[in-house]
Amino acid sequence: MNVKPFIWLFVPLAPQVWAQDYNLGVRAQALGGSGVALATDPEGQFLNPATLAQVPGKTVTFSYSRPFGIKEITLSSVAASATVGKMALGVAAVHLGHAQFEDQALQLAGAIKVAMPAMRRQEARAFAVGMQSILRRVQIARYETWISWRVGAGLVAPLSEHVVWGAVVGKVLEVGREKSPRTIAFGVSYRAASRFFGQMDIFKQSDFATEVRAGAELLLLPPLLLRVGMGTNPDRFTVGLALALKPATLHFTSFSHFDLGWTQQYAATLKQ
């Protein structure tokens, strides 16, 4: 496949694609791109750093894909987190590569749990706040190099035993450029039972249309999980499977793009 049209589509948008990012994490991709309110592995920090507080112990996720089935392009990432008491720390690296361009990002994030006052006849709950800092470098052969720094803050808070609410805001600071895209997203996660999760996000970045992302996760037969989702702007359908073994979870996700086709993503999560 000729990747030049893809590259020249990418060139003018490269400094502005933080909200339309290709790497959301394998679980979030399978759920239509949603994940602001709930995460089960360290890739949740891609969408909301506060979700690190939901991932216990020490965890690492490795991910690999060839976007849109283009064999000349590879996308890989590693995300890790560790929880100590009420604090959680995360680090992630992402690499999108081709002979004609290279896109790299390094993220540092942290989250802390804060106790909420106990209501009458209810147990005390804790919400979490998080911060993230991402350094990104995009280089197009014989064209230009962009260096951007993004800062963000997130929140997740339980509304009830079954419902969790999340929010995240972010701003891109571009070296040598005037534009500074801002992002804001809200999400809600609903857990009806131990076998079913549903979640939905509303995502907005300046210069892009508002996105709606939604998905559901169902425990078919332990340890097999089914994930489905959909999103808008761009319109996409997503589906995935996960095999939750101990201490590893294997993930597979396939998601569509209206113009560019399908992408298959593979990942493995290790927990200690």
Side-chain angles (χ1 to χ4, degrees):
M1 179 177 181
N2 186 358
V3 299
K4 288 186 177 180
F6 175 84
I7 295 174
W8 290 111
L9 174 66
F10 184 83
V11 166
L13 296 178
Q16 306 177 40
V17 295
W18 288 96
Q20 307 274 325
D21 243 342
Y22 40 78
N23 190 52
L24 303 175
V26 66
R27 180 180 182 272
Q29 288 283 22
L31 298 175
S34 63
V36 171
L38 179 68
T40 60
D41 65 71
E43 287 191 324
Q45 64 185 295
F46 292 137
L47 286 173
N48 185 351
T51 61
L52 286 171
Q54 300 170 334
V55 183
K58 298 176 182 178
T59 309
V60 60
T61 296
F62 302 92
S63 178
Y64 176 83
S65 68
R66 293 187 180 275
F68 317 116
I70 303 174
K71 64 180 181 179
E72 295 89 350
I73 301 176
T74 60
L75 171 63
S76 58
S77 68
V78 57
S81 66
T83 300
V84 180
K86 295 182 179 181
M87 296 189 63
L89 299 176
V91 61
V94 182
H95 179 266
L96 177 69
H98 178 265
Q100 299 298 319
F101 71 89
E102 191 172 47
D103 187 347
Q104 298 172 302
L106 176 64
Q107 172 170 318
L108 298 176
I112 185 170
K113 290 183 178 180
V114 181
M116 300 174 62
M119 303 295 290
R120 182 178 299 179
R121 296 182 180 179
Q122 291 185 355
E123 296 183 359
R125 297 191 178 97
F127 67 91
V129 293
M131 298 288 295
Q132 65 183 176
S133 177
I134 309 172
L135 183 64
R136 184 175 186 180
R137 179 179 179 271
V138 179
Q139 183 177 19
I140 310 295
R142 300 185 299 277
Y143 187 75
E144 193 174 352
T145 298
W146 292 277
I147 297 178
S148 299
W149 177 42
R150 175 180 177 177
V151 293
L155 167 72
V156 290
L159 299 182
S160 70
E161 181 181 356
H162 302 288
V163 180
V164 178
W165 176 83
V168 63
V169 294
K171 185 176 183 179
V172 176
L173 307 175
E174 297 183 48
V175 178
R177 291 176 177 266
E178 295 182 359
K179 286 189 176 182
S180 183
R182 298 178 178 87
T183 62
I184 184 170
F186 300 95
V188 63
S189 174
Y190 175 70
R191 179 175 180 173
S194 60
R195 300 177 63 93
F196 174 80
F197 286 90
Q199 55 193 50
M200 184 179 73
D201 295 351
I202 297 177
F203 208 100
K204 181 69 176 77
Q205 174 179 296
S206 53
D207 301 328
F208 286 97
T210 300
E211 294 185 54
V212 177
R213 306 170 176 179
E217 181 178 85
L218 177 65
L219 180 61
L220 292 177
L221 291 171
L224 184 63
L225 295 164
L226 172 66
R227 299 163 176 166
V228 295
M230 61 184 300
T232 63
N233 299 318
D235 294 339
R236 57 190 178 275
F237 174 76
T238 64
V239 63
L241 294 172
L243 193 61
L245 305 172
K246 293 183 179 181
T249 299
L250 305 179
H251 312 264
F252 169 75
T253 292
S254 184
F255 55 95
S256 66
H257 186 286
F258 183 77
D259 296 313
L260 298 175
W262 286 83
T263 295
Q264 283 74 46
Q265 187 173 4
Y266 308 89
T269 298
L270 303 177
K271 296 184 179 182
Q272 181 178 2

